[in-house]
Amino acid sequence: MLNVQPATKPTIYFIGVTTGKSSIMRVFPKWAQALGLDAEIKGIDFKPHSPGESYREAVEFIKQDPLSLGALVTTHKIDLYHACQDLFEYLDPFARKLGEISCISKKDGKLCGHAKDPISSGLALEHFVPENYWKDHDGEVFLMGAGGAALAMSLYFGERKSGDDIPKKIIISTRSLPRLESARRILDGLNPEIQFEYVHTPQPEDNDCILASLKPYSLVVNATGLGKDAPGSPLTEQCSFPENSLVWEINYRGELIFMDQAKAQAETKKLYIEDGWIYFIHGWTQVVAEVFHIDRMEDKVLMLSEVAKNA
């Protein structure tokens, strides 16, 4: 049973797993003040892969409640899409392509679903991946996880218009065979210049093997949720990162064991390690702009990032 009361002021929801632990709960009130919004945020927690009825109850509540203006969805993006897609009058092209909803908003009396991750993950990648990185070094991309984040990054790379500055090979691994096959269907034919490889990795040792085979100057991403939504890492303590590579832990809170594993090899392997903070900022600012209909949010990101750091 959904334990949410009707909103008494304009409200954005955070649909996740442990939303009360997220920085956004203390950051958003400061953002609202900075943006001149009389608004609040509320969390709605579900266990990963909850029953479809639970997601429908949450979406129907937001749809019917006048002051409930929208939501950011994490962890449940794919499951919510499949359970609730018929409740939306509008789904953006990324949502339809990826089969996920990461942002819920309302416009002109319509409930709208968006997949913002291709935009926010692209902005985060452009923050730390050097210009001409792929053209100059010919590294590979290893995405551990085949959920919404990994698919969004793949779509970002596949749709880039920067000529030959794209990775020539993207490897996607996951413990879930259905998720792996779904990723294959979604990404099939996306970009003939990129070789996609899909690997079933039921054990962390399987990811270790892929990691050891990567070229130098690769990009290694933990997009599994391990370290935030569940304990652990997709790699073992015996893993070996490729030299001169970029390592991205897309989470910014939790145990972050994957990031600790990379830090232990950072000096010897000459690794650049990025956490999920800038991804968090872009992910949320994209959704806040959509939910509250804020124009030119890109001009406000630096200011809002500073506000968030001091919240």
Side-chain angles (χ1 to χ4, degrees):
M1 188 74 178
L2 191 68
N3 187 25
V4 180
Q5 299 300 314
T8 57
K9 63 165 57 176
T11 300
I12 184 172
Y13 295 86
F14 180 15
I15 300 175
V17 179
T18 55
T19 58
K21 296 181 181 179
S22 175
S23 298
I24 197 62
M25 293 311 195
R26 67 175 186 272
V27 167
F28 181 79
K30 302 292 186 183
W31 278 1
Q33 185 178 13
L35 293 168
L37 299 174
D38 180 23
E40 64 181 342
I41 187 168
K42 295 179 181 178
I44 300 176
D45 288 351
F46 295 117
K47 293 180 179 179
H49 310 304
S50 287
E53 296 79 15
S54 299
Y55 299 127
R56 289 186 68 86
E57 187 179 4
V59 172
E60 286 174 339
F61 169 79
I62 293 170
K63 184 173 185 174
Q64 299 301 326
D65 188 55
L67 290 176
S68 295
L69 302 187
L72 180 142
V73 184
T74 185
T75 303
H76 312 286
K77 294 175 284 193
I78 294 173
D79 292 324
L80 187 143
Y81 176 91
H82 289 297
C84 306
Q85 57 181 301
D86 62 298
L87 298 176
F88 291 85
E89 284 82 28
Y90 171 79
L91 292 169
D92 77 9
F94 282 144
R96 293 184 181 279
K97 174 71 175 176
L98 293 173
E100 68 168 53
I101 292 170
S102 63
C103 171
I104 299 170
S105 71
K106 295 177 177 178
K107 187 174 183 181
D108 300 329
K110 296 179 179 179
L111 189 71
C112 306
H114 319 263
K116 292 294 186 182
D117 271 8
I119 300 169
S120 54
S121 65
L123 290 168
L125 284 162
E126 289 165 10
H127 172 74
F128 70 89
V129 178
E131 191 174 354
N132 294 321
Y133 186 78
W134 310 107
K135 180 180 178 181
D136 292 343
H137 300 297
D138 194 33
E140 300 163 326
V141 175
F142 180 27
L143 304 176
M144 287 175 281
L151 293 175
M153 291 174 213
S154 299
L155 199 61
Y156 162 75
F157 282 123
E159 294 197 343
R160 286 192 71 180
K161 304 295 189 289
S162 50
D164 52 0
D165 188 30
I166 57 173
K168 300 300 187 292
K169 185 176 184 180
I170 296 176
I171 303 165
I172 298 174
S173 76
T174 182
R175 298 180 295 186
S176 168
L177 274 172
R179 281 283 169 91
L180 199 66
E181 289 308 311
S182 176
R184 190 194 303 272
R185 288 194 301 272
I186 290 168
L187 300 174
D188 184 48
L190 177 63
N191 188 328
E193 300 300 318
I194 300 176
Q195 175 192 350
F196 284 92
E197 187 174 318
Y198 307 90
V199 186
H200 183 221
T201 52
Q203 301 299 327
E205 290 82 359
D206 301 320
N207 284 319
D208 285 3
C209 290
I210 298 171
L211 190 73
S213 73
L214 296 176
K215 295 179 179 180
Y217 295 97
S218 287
L219 168 66
V220 182
V221 183
N222 176 24
T224 65
L226 289 174
K228 180 174 77 75
D229 296 332
S233 165
L235 300 169
T236 76
E237 293 301 318
Q238 286 69 51
C239 68
S240 179
F241 285 86
E243 291 186 350
N244 295 297
S245 289
L246 308 174
V247 180
W248 191 17
E249 166 59 85
I250 68 168
N251 301 309
Y252 73 95
R253 64 180 176 91
E255 292 184 305
L256 306 186
I257 294 173
F258 167 82
M259 196 157 139
D260 291 337
Q261 291 168 330
K263 285 180 177 179
Q265 300 179 35
E267 187 174 350
T268 57
K269 297 295 186 68
K270 300 186 177 75
L271 305 177
Y272 174 86
I273 301 169
E274 180 81 8
D275 69 10
W277 179 254
I278 195 68
Y279 191 27
F280 164 81
I281 295 295
H282 282 302
W284 270 101
T285 53
Q286 287 285 319
V287 173
V288 168
E290 195 72 59
V291 170
F292 294 100
H293 308 292
I294 299 171
D295 293 329
R296 300 192 62 81
M297 180 60 93
E298 63 273 15
D299 297 339
K300 303 174 177 68
V301 168
L302 285 178
M303 178 270 289
L304 294 176
S305 179
E306 288 303 311
V307 170
K309 288 177 183 176
N310 296 318

